[in-house]
Amino acid sequence: MSTGQESRVPGSPAQDGATFDALRTQLQEAATAFADGPDALEGILLGIVDDVDRAVREPLEVFPVCHHSPASAVAMARRLREKRPKVVYLELCEDMAPLLTELRNCRLPVAVQAFASEIDGFPAEWAPLSVVAPITEASAEYQAIAYALDTPGVELVLVDRSSDHVFQWQADDGAQPAGEPADPDAPPAEEEAALHGDAVGVEIGDLRPRFAELEEHLLHHGRVRHWSEWWHQYVELPLGDSDHDTYRQVMLLIGSLFRRLAPGDPARVRVDEDRERHMWTRMRQHLAASGTDPAECLYVCGAFHAASRVAEFGVHGADTFEISPPSASTWQYGLIPSSHAAIEAQFGLAAGSVSIAATQWAKNLKRTRIQPFRLAGQAGAKKAAKPRKAVAAAAAPDPASDPAADMLSGFLQRPPLLDRLDEAELLGWSVEIVRAARRSGYLASTADAIAVFETSILLAGMRDRAKPTPYDFQDAAITCIEKDSVPGRRDVRRLVEIMMGGDRIGQVGYDALPPLARDVHDRLAPIGLKLQQRGVQRALLDMASRPELEKCSDVLWMLRHLMPPGTARPIMGERRLGERPIQESWDLALGTHQRALIELGYEGVSIEQVLEQRLRRTAYGPQATTATVLQAVEDATLYLRSRRLADELGTRALEVLATERSVDGAPEVLRRVRRLLGHYRTSEPALPAWIESFVKTGYAHYCTLLPTAFTDEDATVRQVGAMLGFLFSMEGLALSLGCDRTQLELAFAQSHPQEPAKAALLWAAEVHLGRLSRTELRARCDALLGNPLVVPAYPRYLSGFLHALEPVPQLADFVVEAVSNAFARLPDPVLLPWLPTLITTLRSGGAESVPLLIREAGRIFPGRLAALDTWVPPWLEQPPAEALPAARGRAAALLTAHPATCDAVAALLGCDGAWSGPAPAPSGAALIARHPDAARALEALLAARQR
């Protein structure tokens, strides 16, 4: 903890002036009486007075403020009208100055944002960098900005560190950038509370105890729940209509107190002091360059920084601080919508406190009759009323006169003014909250309104205040109405916040939007909706009757790809390769997601440019895989219809495929290559060169990896099945392009899987290649079911057959047979645990094969339940004993009648021999005994011809 001894520097007010001598004497006597010794407490108390005296005597007037404080805003407006300064120095990032003129095109609250997606000099994980400074009408900063921009001859100079230095100084400390800490009493962030995203908030006028014990002490003895309520009760209300000198000295006192009682955090103290050195250095540089008299200037900063003790303080301070150059990062600037909830969430304020502050601002203006400053043409602002007869204002002080008299002593000794109870206002609140509660489903009545009225007065009396504050009223409403349940979507706390002013959400006007956002609004104009409006709007696009809407459809699909979910959501219609839209229906919420659209404008001047950049970034990124690059190719074709970009990204996919050594993305690669091939075959006269090379390279690549994948424990059955699907489905094209089928045969010769599922997958592939007959495959499955040691593993073989439907779909009937045999012959202890695995397998990896299985099962199984009792599966049917010789006889007669055909078939099947017997018979007759199924088929054919 620092003490006041540090501020006794040469030329300090303690030595040069006697304005606060009486106050110093009183504090010294109090320190001696109440402390163990005068040194520690006296040093703090006298140091605070020294800080106030030093700031008051500064030739360049220091105006301390608190962030979003109505009292500060009223005092600022009053002081500006009294003094009429020629230069206003404002604590705001100096690189944000060009944006301030655009505030007149917005509806407050909005936030000034600096954004950098391309960073240089900072850790890569920090990207993107974002700094925001929210501005509301009830803030001293806005009053200063409006005065400076709309008053001829007045210059506004931003003097705080740049956005780049915000992160430079954090990088020096090795800290991860983060926003302001949230108040533990605040509710979790909702949609409105997340309007600032993950941006770092600039501490404009930040004024809150950094010493946790001090804040806890103030809350406890002030009988309040959180800091926002303490500030409202003990600072806002007393200073709401105070004179300028009293306001200024009290704010300096509070800033010095919080500064001296702050914990010794070297990193944060260094950043605070560097900011102060930076601001005073910039002000002295401007004064020297412009030759302006410091007495005609006004320095607006947070009360914490106004009580600064750095050597650079003042117009005569030391010039020892060197400002480092900015980094090579590319910064872009814009205005984004803000809200009361977003400000509360980012700066650690209690929920509803900014709305209450806005209400208090309106009351202060009405009570003091001060005319605030508003930017000309400000969107959302009420029309200025006719100027009333102004209250007699104090004459502007003479710059050459002595500083203001000691106002602190009287303020600290004067008991708090008891504001009389405004029964009409409190009664109106009570009636309104009951009405809102009934609309939200509460069983509230007139008796509850009376209870809320009386309880508010009771709570205020228990907390030593004559007039209930909005926070007292909120507690009373929760106690009397909510009780123990919340029937609707909103609780009573939220209803009170809405009643007190609600969560006002700002909007950036069209003229203040970046070029990309304006272009989006222009291109979507034919839809005929108010896209700036918040909320969800339904858009119906009938391209058949209005062909110009097809361009709007293109924009909406790109926005859906680039923007957060919910910005543009298709209700009807989809976009596929090779298809043209006819009718579509969309839910649009561009106004709700205006911040995301504005930040999209930082990446380019059109959504096509941004989409192309993102696709390239995905394809050439360090984490790019073949599947992700193929997806980029598909997106380029689908959304941009760019053959040039698709060919470039397709060549990149070929490069990535050649370097991959795993089969993790094989299923996705297979799915996307099939889709792209189908598109190019139907829409192009010839296949692109890159996809022909991709098929050739993929065929050789997967042939090489196949033996390893069959034995690798990390390679799943689905991935191996996808590899086989690529090889079998692309084989014809690959062979026509010059590939050698020997590669595939060698790969299968080297494949020796041990896992049951992969073994079954290999058997199915061998059936497709002709290396294994169906009879042999059926015999292998029967042998597995007949072996008691293998029966528990049989479901794993079935899983392999299910995945085999991807590369070998013609085995669907055999898979139905195998599954049916499993249900018929597997014991329940084996079958029942396997059923969940079967369902999850079909759901996750076999969704495309399920229709094939169902269709095949419908062909095999009987269509009626009554026929099931007598039904015999076709694979179990056996011909009658007497039918086989007859069939053989008729088949032999047919073969004898056509010896040439018989010899050709026999030669094809490898049966050599001569005709023998008294009656010449073909050697192919031996086929009848070897292939009884063929004999029965011939018998059926002959019978049909005879009929």
Side-chain angles (χ1 to χ4, degrees):
M1 186 181 296
S2 59
T3 65
Q5 306 297 331
E6 303 169 9
S7 64
R8 305 299 179 88
V9 294
S12 67
Q15 299 170 354
D16 297 342
T19 302
F20 297 96
D21 281 350
L23 181 58
R24 288 191 180 91
T25 302
Q26 295 177 15
L27 294 178
Q28 188 173 12
E29 293 175 355
T32 305
F34 295 103
D36 296 335
D39 294 337
L41 184 57
E42 178 187 1
I44 296 174
L45 296 178
L46 297 184
I48 292 173
V49 179
D50 290 347
D51 292 342
V52 175
D53 200 1
R54 184 187 187 192
V56 167
R57 291 181 176 277
E58 173 59 34
L60 195 162
E61 181 178 336
V62 180
F63 193 94
V65 300
C66 176
H67 192 50
H68 302 302
S69 167
S72 295
V74 169
M76 184 84 259
R78 178 176 54 237
R79 185 56 178 165
L80 289 172
R81 293 197 179 277
E82 291 174 352
K83 184 172 182 175
R84 294 288 177 176
K86 294 183 178 179
V87 178
V88 176
Y89 297 110
L90 182 61
E91 178 195 339
L92 188 62
C93 293
E94 57 186 0
D95 52 336
M96 293 181 174
L99 280 178
L100 299 182
T101 57
E102 296 294 338
L103 287 175
R104 68 180 75 252
N105 297 318
C106 306
R107 184 175 67 240
L108 300 181
V110 296
V112 186
Q113 182 184 40
F115 189 89
S117 56
E118 300 177 3
I119 62 174
D120 186 357
F122 303 107
E125 59 271 14
W126 287 15
L129 306 179
S130 181
V131 179
V132 298
I135 297 175
T136 64
E137 187 176 355
S139 63
E141 297 83 5
Y142 176 75
Q143 293 300 307
I145 293 171
Y147 164 77
L149 295 183
D150 281 355
T151 304
V154 177
E155 185 178 4
L156 178 65
V157 182
L158 307 186
V159 294
D160 200 1
R161 55 183 174 168
S162 68
S163 305
D164 195 88
H165 286 90
V166 171
F167 294 95
Q168 274 192 39
W169 295 353
Q170 289 188 359
D172 294 341
D173 296 331
Q176 175 74 19
E180 293 298 302
D183 191 332
D185 297 322
E190 298 177 352
E191 180 181 331
E192 290 78 10
L195 284 177
H196 295 173
D198 297 327
V200 175
V202 179
E203 301 175 7
I204 304 177
D206 178 49
L207 197 58
R208 183 169 183 169
R210 297 182 182 177
F211 191 37
E213 286 77 2
L214 173 61
E215 182 171 340
E216 183 180 354
H217 176 84
L218 294 175
L219 298 183
H220 174 71
H221 289 277
R223 299 178 182 178
V224 294
R225 294 168 299 163
H226 44 70
W227 175 250
S228 299
E229 185 176 359
W230 186 94
W231 182 267
H232 175 85
Q233 178 64 29
Y234 295 100
V235 180
E236 284 294 337
L237 296 181
L239 293 181
D241 53 359
S242 62
D243 61 272
H244 169 66
D245 292 333
T246 301
Y247 165 83
R248 187 181 176 203
Q249 293 176 23
V250 171
M251 292 293 288
L252 289 169
L253 174 70
I254 296 174
S256 178
L257 174 66
F258 292 167
R259 189 185 189 101
R260 289 180 177 273
L261 294 183
D265 184 354
R268 188 163 189 179
V269 170
R270 185 190 66 79
V271 171
D272 288 333
E273 293 182 346
D274 283 351
R275 290 180 65 186
E276 293 153 5
R277 295 186 179 99
H278 185 285
M279 289 189 284
W280 280 108
T281 300
R282 289 300 194 204
M283 284 187 283
R284 282 194 298 271
Q285 291 175 352
H286 181 269
L287 290 172
S290 63
T292 308
D293 185 357
E296 297 179 336
C297 303
L298 189 67
Y299 170 35
V300 182
C301 67
F304 190 89
H305 299 294
S308 173
R309 290 169 290 154
V310 297
E312 290 81 1
F313 182 89
V315 294
H316 303 298
D319 285 321
T320 57
F321 184 70
E322 295 184 2
I323 301 175
S324 60
S327 70
S329 301
T330 303
W331 287 92
Q332 301 187 63
Y333 303 90
L335 295 169
I336 62 173
S338 183
S339 68
H340 291 173
I343 296 171
E344 293 158 0
Q346 185 163 1
F347 293 92
L349 304 176
S353 59
V354 179
S355 298
I356 293 175
T359 303
Q360 186 65 35
W361 158 255
K363 290 182 179 179
N364 289 349
L365 293 179
K366 185 176 181 180
R367 183 175 64 253
T368 61
R369 301 178 66 183
I370 291 177
Q371 189 71 20
F373 291 95
R374 289 189 178 93
L375 288 170
Q378 179 73 64
K382 297 180 181 179
K383 292 184 179 179
K386 294 182 180 180
R388 294 174 295 185
K389 197 171 183 179
V391 180
D398 183 3
S401 63
D402 293 335
D406 175 14
M407 307 299 293
L408 278 179
S409 298
F411 182 85
L412 296 176
Q413 294 176 0
R414 183 175 65 245
L417 297 176
L418 296 179
D419 194 358
R420 66 179 182 84
L421 173 63
D422 188 344
E423 293 187 0
E425 180 187 55
L426 182 58
L427 186 60
W429 287 356
S430 303
V431 173
E432 183 62 29
I433 190 59
V434 168
R435 183 182 294 114
R438 290 183 64 85
R439 287 197 300 264
S440 297
Y442 291 89
L443 299 178
S445 63
T446 305
D448 292 306
I450 298 174
V452 172
F453 180 87
E454 298 294 342
T455 306
S456 301
I457 299 175
L458 177 62
L459 288 177
M462 294 173 61
R463 295 165 179 173
D464 291 336
R465 37 188 182 249
K467 179 181 179 180
T469 67
Y471 299 98
D472 297 327
F473 172 76
Q474 187 179 63
D475 293 341
I478 294 173
T479 303
C480 299
I481 297 177
E482 187 169 302
K483 300 178 179 67
D484 58 350
S485 63
V486 180
R489 185 168 59 93
R490 296 188 177 101
D491 57 11
V492 175
R493 181 186 302 276
R494 179 61 179 153
L495 293 177
V496 173
E497 293 172 6
I498 295 174
M499 190 189 72
M500 290 294 175
D503 183 20
R504 298 180 186 176
I505 301 174
Q507 185 184 74
V508 179
Y510 175 85
D511 294 330
L513 291 173
L516 180 144
R518 293 200 300 268
D519 179 62
V520 168
H521 283 281
D522 293 342
R523 294 167 66 177
L524 294 179
I527 297 179
L529 298 178
K530 297 180 180 179
L531 299 178
Q532 288 274 66
Q533 183 177 333
R534 290 183 60 84
V536 179
Q537 303 178 72
R538 179 64 58 86
L540 302 176
L541 279 67
D542 185 3
M543 277 74 74
S545 60
R546 296 182 60 189
E548 69 274 10
L549 292 180
E550 186 172 348
K551 295 183 178 180
C552 297
S553 173
D554 295 339
V555 174
L556 292 177
W557 282 109
M558 285 186 280
L559 288 177
R560 179 178 180 269
H561 187 273
L562 295 171
M563 297 281 284
T567 305
R569 185 168 65 93
I571 304 301
M572 180 187 69
E574 58 182 350
R575 177 151 293 199
R576 293 183 178 180
L577 290 174
E579 297 182 1
R580 307 294 294 182
I582 299 177
Q583 285 185 337
E584 292 178 352
S585 176
W586 291 81
D587 274 352
L588 303 180
L590 286 179
T592 304
H593 297 86
Q594 192 181 51
R595 177 184 67 86
L597 182 61
I598 291 172
E599 291 184 351
L600 202 65
Y602 298 151
E603 302 183 39
V605 296
S606 67
I607 52 177
E608 287 85 359
Q609 179 187 3
V610 174
L611 180 56
E612 183 172 340
Q613 290 175 355
R614 290 195 181 182
L615 293 178
R616 280 202 175 93
R617 193 180 307 133
T618 300
Y620 290 92
Q623 305 298 326
T625 63
T626 306
T628 58
V629 180
L630 287 177
Q631 180 180 359
V633 175
E634 187 174 344
D635 292 340
T637 306
L638 198 61
Y639 300 120
L640 297 177
R641 298 189 178 96
S642 173
R643 177 64 183 273
R644 170 191 56 81
L645 181 61
D647 290 348
E648 176 188 340
L649 299 180
T651 305
R652 171 61 180 170
L654 182 61
E655 298 172 357
V656 176
L657 177 66
T659 60
E660 283 187 344
R661 291 297 176 264
S662 68
V663 296
D664 295 343
E668 188 71 10
V669 170
L670 173 62
R671 184 170 64 90
R672 295 194 177 278
V673 167
R674 281 178 174 173
R675 195 152 54 211
L676 288 169
L677 269 175
H679 168 68
Y680 287 128
R681 281 171 171 165
T682 56
S683 61
E684 300 285 344
L687 291 177
W690 74 266
I691 203 167
E692 292 183 349
S693 301
F694 189 91
V695 171
K696 291 171 58 179
T697 304
Y699 188 83
H701 179 72
Y702 286 132
C703 282
T704 304
L705 296 180
L706 187 62
T708 305
F710 268 119
T711 57
D712 188 2
E713 296 181 356
D714 295 333
T716 64
V717 183
R718 182 168 178 262
Q719 293 168 355
V720 178
M723 293 175 61
L724 294 175
F726 186 95
L727 293 173
F728 292 164
S729 60
M730 307 291 170
E731 185 177 13
L733 179 59
L735 295 180
S736 67
L737 294 174
C739 292
D740 190 354
R741 197 170 193 270
T742 307
Q743 293 177 296
L744 185 62
E745 296 176 353
L746 290 175
F748 274 96
Q750 298 171 3
S751 301
H752 306 288
Q754 299 296 324
E755 184 183 354
K758 292 182 180 179
L761 190 60
L762 178 62
W763 297 344
E766 289 179 338
V767 171
H768 175 78
L769 296 175
R771 298 161 57 96
L772 189 68
S773 66
R774 287 201 174 201
T775 304
E776 293 172 335
L777 181 60
R778 184 176 291 110
R780 290 186 182 184
C781 293
D782 291 339
L784 293 175
L785 286 173
N787 189 343
L789 298 178
V790 184
V791 164
Y794 187 74
R796 297 168 62 186
Y797 286 93
L798 287 181
S799 298
F801 286 130
L802 288 173
H803 285 97
L805 291 177
E806 175 68 40
V808 194
Q810 59 268 29
L811 281 182
D813 58 338
F814 179 80
V815 174
V816 173
E817 173 186 342
V819 174
S820 301
N821 288 336
F823 277 88
R825 299 175 59 179
L826 284 178
D828 288 347
V830 176
L831 181 62
L832 294 180
W834 170 65
L835 287 179
T837 305
L838 173 65
I839 295 173
T840 55
T841 300
L842 291 175
R843 178 178 296 177
S844 61
E848 298 178 356
S849 303
V850 169
L852 182 62
L853 284 176
I854 294 176
R855 185 169 60 251
E856 192 63 29
R859 187 184 66 83
I860 294 176
F861 288 91
R864 297 183 176 275
L865 184 62
L868 188 61
D869 295 334
T870 59
W871 176 74
V872 178
W875 56 85
L876 296 181
E877 288 182 348
Q878 295 293 336
E882 64 278 3
L884 186 58
R888 290 179 178 177
R890 283 191 289 269
L894 181 62
L895 295 177
T896 305
H898 303 280
T901 304
C902 178
D903 287 339
V905 173
L908 181 63
L909 298 177
C911 297
D912 298 329
W915 292 87
S916 61
S923 59
L927 297 176
I928 299 175
R930 186 181 302 178
H931 302 286
D933 292 341
R936 286 194 293 272
L938 287 172
E939 179 186 9
L941 178 62
L942 292 175
R945 293 187 63 182
Q946 290 175 358
R947 289 196 296 268

